[in-house]
Amino acid sequence: MNSFVSASTVEAKPAAAEDVVRLVNVKRSFGDTAALDGISLSVRKGEIFGIIGRSGAGKSTLIRCLNGLERPDSGEIRIEGRDIVGLAENELQPVRRRIGMVFQHFNLLSAKTVEENVALPLKIEGIAKSERLARARELLDLVGLADKAKAYPASLSGGQKQRVGIARALAARPALLLSDEATSALDPETTRSILALLKDINGKLGLTIVLITHEMEVIRGIADRVAVIDAGRIVEEGQVWSIFGNPESAITKSLLAGIRPQLPEHVAARLSSAGGTEAILSVDLAGPQAQGALFADLSAAHPHSFRLVHGGIDHIQSQPVARFFIAVPTRDPGLKDEVEQFLTARSARVEVLGYDTDHV
């Protein structure tokens, strides 16, 4: 292990209850449009916190407020306990040095070598050349690019450029790393390698990371907690496994549609609001109940009460998360209600999607 990793691990040991970021009722409008409409959240030291939403949800404005580039109209933004709202530009500078930024399009200087790009924040601070280049080499070793120190950005792949961007963001030993859509320009395999690197850095350095993204796979890959933002408001927040297992808001369900089991299209196409031979139910479970003998117990309690249409079990943050679709015969008017009650009593979220008009 190199000296940089071991020293930083000692320096950055997290205090679990300490908030690095705390927002209280933050509002920011542009004309009549509310980009942020009362955002409140906290990010604990050493945590990877995801903020996800569609384009135009307010993510970009939020991240610009976090690093002081955008001033909110009202509310508090505390970084390591200090409210940065209202600070003069010269007062913001030391706060910004505690914040590293990783960008979607890398923002590397093409005329400078890799090590010069990494060392640039330290040059701006006036750190001696020998010290800043030594720091750059340590960081390039950390991100797996020690052999690229003298190369220029044009010779690097997209994933390598992002690794350089991450190394540069760590140059000034920040307390907080902001990742602004850092993987959205990368292919899936490279994305996984960058997420693994961020997770590794978080573990080794105890670094607090806030991920801004529109990709649920990114959140699933490394985040501890997630906030879903829509129209400038947080519509859902919690542990990643819990949100994935039991999404409540329509926007969260929509964002998850690509990575959670969905009712097969040919079944969904023939559903009606009433009058079918079977009621189609979605059943969402998270935690221990998701891998228990739920359907075996249901069959024992109510024989011939359902058939399994589609679904599966996943594991997120070592927690089982499941979604199933079942069909309940409508021949007995009370059977659907009995099945729903049985499932909800066992912590399942149940929704009647409609009635199958064609199944025999």
Side-chain angles (χ1 to χ4, degrees):
M1 183 179 295
N2 62 48
S3 60
F4 162 70
V5 173
S6 59
S8 298
T9 302
V10 173
E11 293 170 4
K13 206 71 173 176
E18 184 179 343
D19 289 340
V20 172
V21 177
R22 183 172 178 81
L23 277 64
V24 180
N25 199 28
V26 173
K27 296 184 179 182
R28 181 70 172 105
S29 295
F30 298 97
D32 295 330
T33 303
L36 301 177
D37 191 10
I39 297 288
S40 295
L41 59 83
S42 61
V43 183
R44 294 185 287 271
K45 191 171 184 178
E47 180 175 43
I48 301 179
F49 189 90
I51 299 173
I52 189 165
R54 293 171 173 160
S55 297
K59 305 188 304 298
S60 296
T61 302
L62 178 56
I63 201 168
R64 289 175 61 83
C65 285
L66 285 175
N67 61 22
L69 294 176
E70 193 75 56
R71 303 293 183 120
D73 300 322
S74 61
E76 296 180 15
I77 300 176
R78 295 189 176 273
I79 307 295
E80 294 188 295
R82 185 179 187 184
D83 189 359
I84 68 172
V85 176
L87 291 183
E89 187 63 28
N90 65 319
E91 296 174 310
L92 270 173
Q93 292 308 313
V95 178
R96 288 199 183 113
R97 284 195 288 271
R98 300 291 290 159
I99 302 173
M101 282 288 302
V102 183
F103 303 95
Q104 177 181 1
H105 296 297
F106 323 128
N107 291 8
L108 303 180
L109 299 180
S110 60
K112 292 188 178 294
T113 65
V114 164
E115 67 178 1
E116 288 171 339
N117 268 280
V118 174
L120 186 60
L122 302 179
K123 182 178 182 180
I124 294 171
E125 283 189 33
I127 305 299
K129 183 176 181 179
S130 60
E131 184 179 344
R132 65 180 186 253
L133 289 181
R135 173 68 172 162
R137 293 186 193 106
E138 289 177 344
L139 288 166
L140 288 172
D141 186 36
L142 178 69
V143 302
L145 291 178
D147 62 333
K148 299 293 184 181
K150 301 299 184 182
Y152 286 86
S155 68
L156 304 181
S157 68
Q160 289 172 329
K161 289 177 183 178
Q162 195 55 283
R163 287 173 181 266
V164 175
I166 292 169
R168 180 185 56 192
L170 298 175
R173 292 181 171 84
L176 173 65
L177 183 67
L178 300 179
S179 171
D180 185 11
E181 300 280 9
T183 61
S184 61
L186 305 175
D187 62 75
E189 183 179 357
T190 305
T191 291
R192 286 191 293 271
S193 72
I194 293 298
L195 295 180
L197 174 62
L198 290 173
K199 186 73 171 178
D200 185 57
I201 289 170
N202 167 257
K204 287 178 177 175
L205 309 185
L207 181 66
T208 306
I209 300 176
V210 174
L211 297 163
I212 304 290
T213 184
H214 66 277
E215 300 172 291
M216 271 295 188
E217 282 285 12
V218 171
I219 299 297
R220 170 199 170 122
I222 62 169
D224 300 309
R225 289 190 300 132
V226 61
V228 182
I229 185 171
D230 186 44
R233 296 183 178 185
I234 292 177
V235 296
E236 203 158 353
E237 181 182 352
Q239 293 288 323
V240 171
W241 69 268
S242 179
I243 297 296
F244 274 57
N246 280 316
E248 295 182 356
S249 70
I251 181 65
T252 308
K253 292 176 182 177
S254 176
L255 289 168
L256 283 168
I259 58 176
R260 298 175 76 224
Q262 301 296 310
L263 187 65
E265 290 185 7
H266 69 280
V267 178
R270 63 185 191 233
L271 293 187
S272 68
S273 58
T277 57
E278 293 179 321
I280 304 298
L281 280 58
S282 66
V283 182
D284 291 303
L285 298 135
Q289 293 289 353
Q291 60 184 7
L294 180 66
F295 292 120
D297 292 344
L298 176 59
S299 292
H302 302 281
H304 311 295
S305 60
F306 75 98
R307 67 180 179 88
L308 185 61
V309 176
H310 185 60
I313 299 175
D314 198 359
H315 285 80
I316 300 172
Q317 296 177 311
S318 301
Q319 291 286 342
V321 172
R323 190 178 201 203
F324 293 98
F325 299 92
I326 63 173
V328 178
T330 56
R331 60 179 181 270
D332 179 349
L335 182 59
K336 177 180 69 66
D337 292 340
E338 291 176 5
V339 169
E340 281 191 78
Q341 291 169 9
F342 182 94
L343 294 171
T344 55
R346 286 154 178 80
S347 303
R349 182 187 298 275
V350 183
E351 181 182 355
V352 180
L353 303 179
Y355 295 84
D356 194 334
T357 56
D358 286 349
H359 183 78
V360 179

